[in-house]
Amino acid sequence: MSESKTPILKIVDGAKKPKSTKEAPVTKDQSRFMDYGILQGAFYQFKWTRDGESETQIPLCDFVCQIDEEITHNTGLEDKSILRVSGKRQDGLPLPSVDVPAKNFYATQGNWMNEAWGTKIFVFPGPSKKDNLRAAIHLYSKLNGDIKRRNVYGFCGWQKVNDEWLFLTGSGGITASGLIDDVQVDLGSGHMQRYTLPAPPNSQDVKELVSVVYDLINICPSKPHIGRALLSAVARAPLGECQATDFAIFIHGLTGAKKSEIAAIALGFFGD
């Protein structure tokens, strides 16, 4: 008479076997990071079969790309994160560097790859392909450490950077020790880009520039209060961070009285 197994042993026999710990062979064209890797110049996903005996290679696309840097654009009102991405197609064709809004990169339904590189690249269809491709790109970009990050400011005026107050201008940031150009300021392609200050003058140059200030004061000899008001406005403008400015001045006069020219001279204290 054959022995029958107890109910407990039957449960054990029917239990799912644990996943095999053996790894897939690594070849020269294969780089692995977690569940993803590069095979023959393209991103792949690697998954174990249900029985844990073998591993399947799932192609995600026909290219490899990486995030070169993360750029935060600070407009003074909001921060916008941009990812600069570049890559290479499976056949060696370079994929030019593109700026991708971070919200598009991380969007589940996003299609920034084809929007950036068009029909040059191919992403395999599937409900989770894009999510896995995004994860593969992110992990691959961090293989050598954290992704490079930098801030770009899109406005002029005071900003606290690394616990130090500095005055932003198109050429960088002005501190108590002078102009530092490692602070990046991008004022766009319009007239705002003309708000660019040079490095602060030395003591000798200041003496020579004082005469320019006197010229502004005396710009209307018969009405000296006009020059004084303009110079006061020039000096008051950078202090808005300390005390909010709740007023404005304007120059009133007949057509042809050189109002615009006089106003431009005052603006010249902050750029060309």
Side-chain angles (χ1 to χ4, degrees):
M1 181 176 178
S2 61
E3 296 183 0
S4 60
K5 292 186 177 181
T6 64
I8 293 180
L9 293 179
K10 290 182 179 180
I11 294 175
V12 172
D13 289 342
K16 183 178 179 180
K17 296 180 180 179
K19 181 187 293 187
S20 173
T21 57
K22 64 182 181 180
E23 298 182 355
V26 178
T27 59
K28 289 185 179 180
D29 60 351
Q30 184 178 357
S31 177
R32 296 290 295 271
F33 34 94
M34 295 182 67
D35 293 334
Y36 307 96
I38 298 173
L39 186 62
Q40 298 176 351
F43 284 120
Y44 274 71
Q45 179 185 9
F46 300 95
K47 294 182 66 175
W48 288 94
T49 57
R50 290 184 179 277
D51 58 12
E53 294 298 325
S54 60
E55 189 181 48
T56 58
Q57 301 170 346
I58 305 172
L60 300 175
C61 61
D62 67 346
F63 62 92
V64 169
C65 67
Q66 66 180 19
I67 304 170
D68 298 318
E69 61 177 338
E70 181 178 359
I71 307 169
T72 300
H73 287 271
N74 185 337
T75 65
L77 298 175
E78 62 177 348
D79 293 343
K80 295 183 178 179
S81 182
I82 302 292
L83 304 181
R84 182 157 292 170
V85 185
S86 63
K88 183 183 292 186
R89 202 168 64 183
Q90 203 169 25
D91 59 0
L93 177 71
L95 300 174
S97 178
V98 294
D99 289 345
V100 182
K103 63 179 181 180
N104 293 353
F105 180 86
Y106 295 111
T108 302
Q109 302 299 325
N111 192 31
W112 66 266
M113 292 154 286
N114 289 107
E115 292 176 358
W117 295 313
T119 57
K120 290 181 179 179
I121 55 102
F122 180 77
V123 178
F124 285 89
S128 61
K129 286 291 197 302
K130 290 180 180 178
D131 281 341
N132 282 295
L133 179 54
R134 171 187 54 77
I137 296 172
H138 195 169
L139 290 171
Y140 178 62
S141 302
K142 297 178 63 176
L143 285 180
N144 296 321
D146 289 337
I147 299 168
K148 176 184 175 182
R149 303 183 66 183
R150 62 185 174 96
N151 292 318
V152 178
Y153 299 95
F155 61 95
C156 292
W158 293 101
Q159 177 68 28
K160 199 171 188 180
V161 179
N162 298 328
D163 295 327
E164 180 181 20
W165 282 102
L166 47 84
F167 189 84
L168 298 177
T169 179
S171 53
I174 297 178
T175 68
S177 58
L179 178 68
I180 53 175
D181 55 10
D182 58 346
V183 174
Q184 293 185 281
V185 179
D186 182 2
L187 301 178
S189 58
H191 294 301
M192 281 295 295
Q193 67 176 330
R194 305 187 69 171
Y195 285 88
T196 300
L197 292 176
N202 55 42
S203 57
Q204 183 61 38
D205 292 336
V206 168
K207 295 179 181 179
E208 298 177 2
L209 294 172
V210 168
S211 61
V212 178
V213 176
Y214 281 120
D215 289 341
L216 177 59
I217 293 178
N218 301 316
I219 198 166
C220 296
S222 62
K223 297 181 179 179
H225 62 278
I226 294 179
R228 294 168 186 168
L230 287 174
L231 181 59
S232 298
V234 169
R236 178 67 175 82
L239 302 177
E241 187 69 33
C242 304
Q243 179 66 41
T245 304
D246 57 359
F247 65 91
I249 64 173
F250 70 97
I251 302 174
H252 173 71
L254 299 174
T255 301
K258 306 298 183 181
K259 301 184 299 297
S260 298
E261 287 81 353
I262 293 174
I265 292 173
L267 288 173
F269 279 79
F270 297 97
D272 61 357

